[in-house]
Amino acid sequence: MMVEDANGCSEETVVTINELAVPTISVNADATVCEGDMVTRTAITSGGTGSLSVVWMPGNLTGNNVTVAANATQTYTATVTDTRNCTATDEVTITVDPSFVSGITGLGNLCAEEPTTFTATPVDGATYNWTATGPATPASGTGETFT
C-alpha cells in the first residue's frame, strides 16, 4: 500500500493478508420415511478456526447429530459456525409418506365352522398378508379379502 501527501512525499507499506480456512459442512442425503418415524440427521464438519458448532433449522437444534419425529415433509438447514463467526450451510429434505388406516370389515364373533369373509379397505400400493390362528382353513392369505 502506498500513501502520498499533498507535498508529493510518499510512504509504502506491505500488508500481508492471510486467508484462513473456512468451515465446511455436509449433511446426509435426502430421504423418504414413514410418518412418525424417528429420523437422525447428521452433519459432518471440518475446517474453520477453533471449535465448530452446528445449528439445525427449523427447530434451533444443536449438535452434529439430531433426531426428530418425521411428521411432515420438511427441509432442514444445518449451519456450522467457527470461533471467528465464519459459517457454511447445507440442507437435507425429509419427505414424509403419510400414514394410512386400512379398516377391516367382517364378523368378530362366529360359531365354530361358520364361514366369514374379512375385507380390508384398499390402499394404493399396499400388500396384504392375512394370518388366522386356531383351526381356520386356510391359515393365511394375501389380497384385500380373506375367507
Side-chain angles (χ1 to χ4, degrees):
M1 175 168 112
M2 185 183 330
V3 177
E4 187 173 323
D5 67 13
N7 297 323
C9 297
S10 63
E11 181 68 32
E12 186 174 325
T13 300
V14 175
V15 176
T16 302
I17 299 173
N18 294 318
E19 183 177 354
L20 301 174
V22 296
T24 62
I25 188 167
S26 176
V27 298
N28 20 359
D30 294 348
T32 299
V33 298
C34 295
E35 183 176 8
D37 282 357
M38 297 305 290
V39 179
T40 299
R41 296 163 299 163
T42 301
I44 298 171
T45 60
S46 64
T49 300
S51 63
L52 303 175
S53 61
V54 177
V55 176
W56 294 85
M57 297 301 280
N60 202 32
L61 302 171
T62 59
N64 288 54
N65 299 296
V66 295
T67 302
V68 296
N71 296 317
T73 296
Q74 182 72 56
T75 298
Y76 297 92
T77 301
T79 302
V80 60
T81 305
D82 69 7
T83 54
R84 293 177 299 122
N85 286 324
C86 292
T87 63
T89 62
D90 197 6
E91 63 183 30
V92 58
T93 299
I94 304 299
T95 302
V96 175
D97 277 343
S99 62
F100 60 88
V101 175
S102 177
I104 298 174
T105 58
L107 297 175
N109 295 310
L110 14 139
C111 296
E113 298 184 26
E114 182 179 354
T116 189
T117 298
F118 294 98
T119 304
T121 305
V123 175
D124 288 341
T127 58
Y128 301 87
N129 294 300
W130 299 90
T131 304
T133 58
T137 304
S140 63
T142 59
E144 292 175 18
T145 61
F146 178 66
T147 301

